[in-house]
Each structure stands twice: as C-alpha cells, then as structure tokens.
Amino acid sequence: MNPRDHQIRSFFVERSPDGGIQRGSRNIASQELPAGNAVVQVEWSSLNYKDGLAAQGHPGVAKRLPHIPGIDAAGYLVEAPKDCQIPLGSPVIITGYDLGAGQWGGWCEQIRVPAEWLVALPENLTLRESMILGTAGFTAAQCVRALLRHEISPDSGPIAVSGATGGVGCLAVLLLSQLGYNVVAATGKADATQWLRDLGASQVVDRQNFQGDANRPLLSTRFAGAIDTVGGETLSGLLRSTQPHGCVAACGLVGGHDVNLTVYPFIIRGVALDGITSSVCPIRPRLEIWRLLANEWKPACLNQLAQETTLEQLEPHIQAILAGQVRGRVVVRVAPNVGGKSDRKIAPA
C-alpha cells in the first residue's frame, strides 16, 4: 500500500467552531502530512511538558493549527531519499529539530520528516526504551556531558539537580548516580523522597532549598555543579551556590525565564553557565549521545521509570503533566498491539 493514500491514526489538535481548542484521537489522510523526504511508521512516542503545551494549542509551541504534538518519535523507516545512509525498514529515532512544534509530531502512526533528522536506533536499545529516554534523556545526557567538559568528576563534590521528579530531572539523577556522583535532588513533592533515593539521589531537599537569599550576590558554596531544569530564582540560587570553577547546565524555564543575578559568580568564582538545547544539537554529538545512552550510560532501571498510554488515553496524562503531577516518564504506544522488548525490521512501502 502506498503510504501516501490511506487513513492513519493521530492525536489531533484543532480550533473548534467557537474559537476554542478541541483535541483527541482522530484518523487523518496520509496526504495531509507535511512536507519531508522521509516517512517513518511510528510505533512509540512520549509525553513531555512541551507536548502538553502543544495540546493546548499554545502558540509558542504549536506554530499553527491544526497540529499533531509529539516532540519524540521512534519507528521504522519506510520511505527515504536515495542518498539516505539508513536502510529502509530499519528502526529509527527522531527527537528535537522542529518535530511536534513547527512540524507535526510523533503522536501519529506515520510522520514525514527531513531525512537528516533521522538517527538509526543504536544496538542495545529498543524503540520503547528510546522513547522512555526521548528528548528528556537526551537533554539530561547533554547536561552530564557539560559537567564532564568542565572536568567535574565524582570527586569534585555534590551535584544539584532541580525539578528532579520531571523527565529530565529524574533521568539526570539516574545518570549521575550511575556514574558515581553524589546527587542532591530537589523537588516540591514530599512523597517522592524515597523514589528519588531509589534512583540514586544521596540527598533529597525541598526545591526552595536551592534558591537562597535573593538579595545576596553570592551564597555559600555547596555544589561542584548543577543540572537545572527549572530556571528563574532556582537557577540564580544554584549559580550563586556553585564552588569555584564549577558548572551549571541549564535546560528549563518552568520556574521563569528571568534570572536575577550579578556577574559575581562568573568573575569571582569562575562559575560556568552552560545552556543546553536539544532541538538544534549538531548531528555528530547527537549520534555520540545516543551511543552513550545505549551503552555505557544506559540506565539500569529504565523501564521502571515509565508508565504507558495510548493515543486514545492521552488526555488525563496531558492534564497531569501540565499540573506538574507526572513523576518520571510517560511513553505513548502509537502503533496498536506493539511489543516493547524487541525490535524488528519491516519491509519498506
């Protein structure tokens, strides 16, 4: 069957007749898919905070309506240009770029994307596992690489992780602890303390603990480095609490996009602020990060981090992530009756 002329399942977000937003599972014609020279049969996706915003029709994420969210996708390559280095039928991952934002995303049985967005699924990683990681795991791994680039080792001192129960935060805790770091995890969820300790956190503190006195340009040094998923006053507090020549990797803004800060952490203590972006990560480090996540850095308890849902059952999970009530990761089973423990090659269309 030609993949361009049949009905495919999706989670569709559109403007309702009264000007509001309506969303839910819906079949669309494959001809409606946006432009791209590669077609992927999607089996798994994931739910991220950005996807929750897209499901609301947030103009800062969903650039135009109608829209299909899903900034992560994993499946099988069924159509590609002749110069594509990945064989047809191979399992592939797509994260970042404009997927699920400017371009329709992974909450659809089939996606059409530029071939340069594709990453061949590494050995030792299933499609389902790649989506438990997804952009969240990829971002967490970039943050860890930032600390390593600044020569911050497990012997350097404690590493702070803010927003530790979120997707990036919990995977950062897991990755750092497996690499031998002393992790101080911050959360506003008192009932998550044992869960974070089980992931490897040495200490779990209330999220307010990272902010400190906003009127002081410097705070007592507490951390060799930090991974901040929150932004705002939390990022300011972490930078002012980091020891000389430490590094703070910043990748989030749920706590605010303004940072009340002087230059003192940078010019007196030599603290580095590394901004982390996953959407425009170049292909060479992108491939290396996925190789690490499938091998040396692969989390031992990856499957225990995730709860699973389908396109038809996404709505309560969307509401939960927007309310800050999701712990860990939510993977979306896009293809019906798909298994999660093994991958197979499929014949190209």
Side-chain angles (χ1 to χ4, degrees):
M1 178 183 291
N2 188 325
R4 296 182 186 273
D5 60 8
H6 67 285
Q7 295 289 305
I8 50 180
R9 293 165 54 253
S10 72
F11 188 95
F12 207 69
V13 181
E14 59 189 332
R15 188 75 62 188
S16 62
D18 64 1
I21 297 295
Q22 58 188 28
R23 64 195 185 207
S25 178
R26 196 190 102 176
N27 285 355
I28 64 168
S30 54
Q31 298 98 310
E32 296 179 61
L33 294 175
N37 57 4
V39 176
V40 175
Q41 194 73 28
V42 179
E43 297 215 347
W44 295 95
S45 184
S46 70
L47 170 64
N48 303 274
Y49 185 75
K50 190 173 180 180
D51 298 320
L53 295 176
Q56 291 184 313
H58 192 295
V61 180
K63 305 295 174 59
R64 65 189 67 86
L65 296 178
H67 184 68
I68 296 175
I71 65 172
D72 298 331
Y76 295 93
L77 183 63
V78 296
E79 187 176 314
K82 290 182 179 180
D83 59 354
C84 182
Q85 300 299 305
I86 302 174
L88 292 179
S90 298
V92 293
I93 310 166
I94 309 99
T95 59
Y97 301 103
D98 219 15
L99 189 71
Q103 181 135 329
W104 287 3
W107 293 0
C108 187
E109 285 184 312
Q110 207 167 79
I111 58 174
R112 190 179 296 139
V113 297
E116 56 266 27
W117 291 9
L118 303 174
V119 170
L121 182 75
E123 294 289 334
N124 304 319
L125 201 63
T126 70
L127 288 173
R128 185 179 188 273
E129 288 172 335
S130 76
M131 292 294 94
I132 299 174
L133 291 165
T135 293
F138 185 82
T139 302
Q142 281 187 286
C143 292
V144 173
R145 285 179 86 239
L147 299 180
L148 291 171
R149 280 198 306 271
H150 288 275
E151 300 182 343
I152 299 171
S153 70
D155 294 331
S156 300
I159 306 297
V161 177
S162 66
T165 59
V168 177
C170 71
L171 284 161
V173 170
L174 194 51
L175 288 173
L176 288 167
S177 64
Q178 286 193 175
L179 292 171
Y181 287 88
N182 175 7
V183 181
V184 180
T187 180
K189 302 178 177 70
D191 61 347
T193 297
Q194 189 56 53
W195 184 75
L196 287 168
R197 287 190 177 277
D198 291 342
L199 293 183
S202 304
Q203 185 179 356
V204 180
V205 300
D206 185 89
R207 59 190 175 193
Q208 301 296 325
N209 194 274
F210 282 2
Q211 295 183 3
D213 185 349
N215 295 316
R216 295 178 58 191
L218 289 173
L219 301 171
S220 299
T221 57
R222 300 170 58 193
F223 308 113
I227 294 176
D228 176 53
T229 74
V230 175
E233 287 305 309
T234 297
L235 176 57
S236 172
L238 288 170
L239 285 164
R240 291 178 292 135
S241 303
T242 298
Q243 68 190 31
H245 307 295
C247 171
V248 177
C251 62
L253 49 68
V254 294
H257 51 73
D258 293 324
V259 182
N260 180 21
L261 197 66
T262 70
V263 297
Y264 289 172
F266 311 115
I267 66 172
I268 292 179
R269 291 180 177 166
V271 173
L273 171 60
D274 268 25
I276 305 298
T277 177
S278 297
S279 61
V280 294
C281 178
I283 189 62
R284 184 171 293 180
R286 184 179 292 272
L287 293 174
E288 173 60 13
I289 288 168
W290 278 113
R291 187 198 68 78
L292 287 167
L293 287 171
N295 293 283
E296 303 99 291
W297 289 9
K298 185 176 181 180
C301 60
L302 191 55
N303 284 290
Q304 286 71 34
L305 273 183
Q307 51 185 306
E308 187 177 309
T309 190
T310 64
L311 293 177
E312 292 77 17
Q313 299 169 331
L314 261 166
E315 183 58 36
H317 298 282
I318 292 170
Q319 295 178 19
I321 202 165
L322 289 171
Q325 296 171 349
V326 170
R327 179 189 299 179
R329 295 283 288 151
V330 177
V331 288
V332 182
R333 179 159 45 86
V334 177
N337 305 318
V338 67
K341 296 301 183 184
S342 63
D343 291 311
R344 66 189 192 284
K345 288 195 175 184
I346 63 172

